[in-house]
Amino acid sequence: MVRFFCTNPQSNIEQRSLQRTMLCCKRRGFFYLSLMIFFCGCATMNIPDKNSAPTSPIHDKKIEVKKAHSLGYYHFTLARLYENKGKMDAAIEEYKLALAYDEKSPSLKTSLASAYAKKRLLHEAIQQCQSAIITHPEYLPARLLLGGLYSSIGDDKAAIMEYEAVIEIDPTKKEPYLFLGALYSKTKEYQKSIASLKKLVEIDPNSGMAYYYLGKVYTEMERFGDAAEHYQKALERRPRFRNVMIELGATYELQGENKKAIDLYNDLLNLHPYDTSALNNLGHLYIKEKELDKALEQFEKLRKFGVNNIHIQIKIGLIHFEQRRYEKAIEEFNRILSTDPGFYKAQYYLAAAHEEKGNLERAITEFKKIPLKSEFFPNSQIHIAFILDKQNNRKEAMAIIQEAIEKNKDAPELYRFLASLYEKEKDYEKGIQLLKKALKILPNDIDLRFDLGIIYDKAGDPDKGIEEMKSVLKLDPKNAGAMNYIGYTYADKGIYLDKAESLIKEALKLRPNDGYITDSLGWVYYKKGMIDEAIKELETAIRLAPEDPIIAEHLGDAYLKGGKKEKAIKMYERALKLDPEKKVLTEKINLLKEKKLP
């Protein structure tokens, strides 16, 4: 069929080219058949035979140029075909052959650069773009691609220079403003980024992408209100813009506006029911809002849609755990471990689920499966010791933790738990020595030092307790617990009451709804003789921590001092019910009832 159109035999190279073209024609249909006829061109190219009259040199030159152009275009077209099929190596070779017929073509060089880029041959791609720009400095596609290539290899300054060059050549070109906005944001030059993106908005007020990237820049700057405003403008221009909806939802989350974020993700899922990011984010939000059934629904949908990875499974298991559906939690964690026995987070929660269900021996067995190398090892040993202590086997519990410490000397939680066991035994000296040993290994651990201060206090040495708490504040000046300890100890001793009040008020700024700190402030006022203020604070404290006998006793003392004897009796009785071993309360109550106390 090909030869039918040709008047002269062709070289082997041409024959091979025609065969390749024929193959494309069979696959691509009539359009590519027409191209094949065009590239063959025998009827129109007037190739002379040996019997024809000689032609002039000028005429020969025109034919040669025309033929070269046709062959170049032929290779270019094949390159595009290969590129569309993802055959980059073949496409690159065809672009090179096309360039042999048109060595200065910036379009061909840019196309070859693009093919190199798809093969991740970035330096070769850069060379082709640079070559195109040398001969045609104002060829913008080469500059735009070169900017992207520089950005890909991390040369942001060179990328910025290319995009700025594009703007200088054509200030109305939109793409460079967008790319510059993203690059300046990456280099944390936020004002330049904003200026570039706002310039794009001037050129194209309907650019959803400009508003989208402005939202991202403001998010980076932690100006979440401005970010939300610009994401909303992007959505006005592109109402189904999925990325904007995801980013706006995340911005609402950062602002603490969880309800808005939930509504937005639900809107997104109405448009794209299989959007896994929206389902995942929505699930986490429902967890934050303590709507665990709705959270579970989202994660189950993810699993249904094929996102059955371990992290989704562990969330499903933990929701069942949190809702005390321990059998289902156990089933989920076992499913995870059947596919990945080394996923020790699942092993840890499997053991914890058995513990909560009351299967204590099985829980110990499962906790023991967690190896030393796991981050869950220290807590697994603490759980085992806790169960043993609960079973009145404190010595074995202590031995388990001591052995764990020998294996893992850098785990502060192990020292703290063992110290708490010594404290239960009222062996305060052992607890003190243990925590001192731990602090030699971990001198900057705040919790160890705090616990040492508390155990000094229980051992009857509050002054050393205060020293440790001051050390805590040096490490962590905003530690409300240490402030409260020092303030309360001063108040209890009746010393430095102004300093005590100042410390406790500072602690309350950090933890405003803490009943124990509120009790400390009430106790300072009591010691200062400010009884009305003391009663007010202590009444708040008992609402915040209703099960604490010391707060109840303090409020009883304040009522008594304020002449409210009946209220004092009721509060002492409440304190005694919470702590039946405190005999002094029984004496107070009896004396009040017998009217022997003023």
Side-chain angles (χ1 to χ4, degrees), residues 8-18 67:
N8 291 308
Q10 282 133 6
S11 69
N12 289 334
I13 294 173
E14 288 172 316
Q15 286 289 347
R16 284 199 296 272
S17 297
L18 288 170
K67 182 177 179 182

Side-chain angles (χ1 to χ4, degrees), residues 176-178 180-181 184 191-200:
Y177 294 106
L178 192 64
L180 279 172
Y184 282 134
Q191 295 309 320
K192 285 185 178 181
S193 177
I194 291 167
S196 182
L197 293 166
K198 284 189 173 179
K199 184 66 179 176
L200 175 54

Side-chain angles (χ1 to χ4, degrees), residues 326 358 561 579 588:
Y326 299 121
K561 199 84 167 177
D579 184 6
K588 278 186 180 181

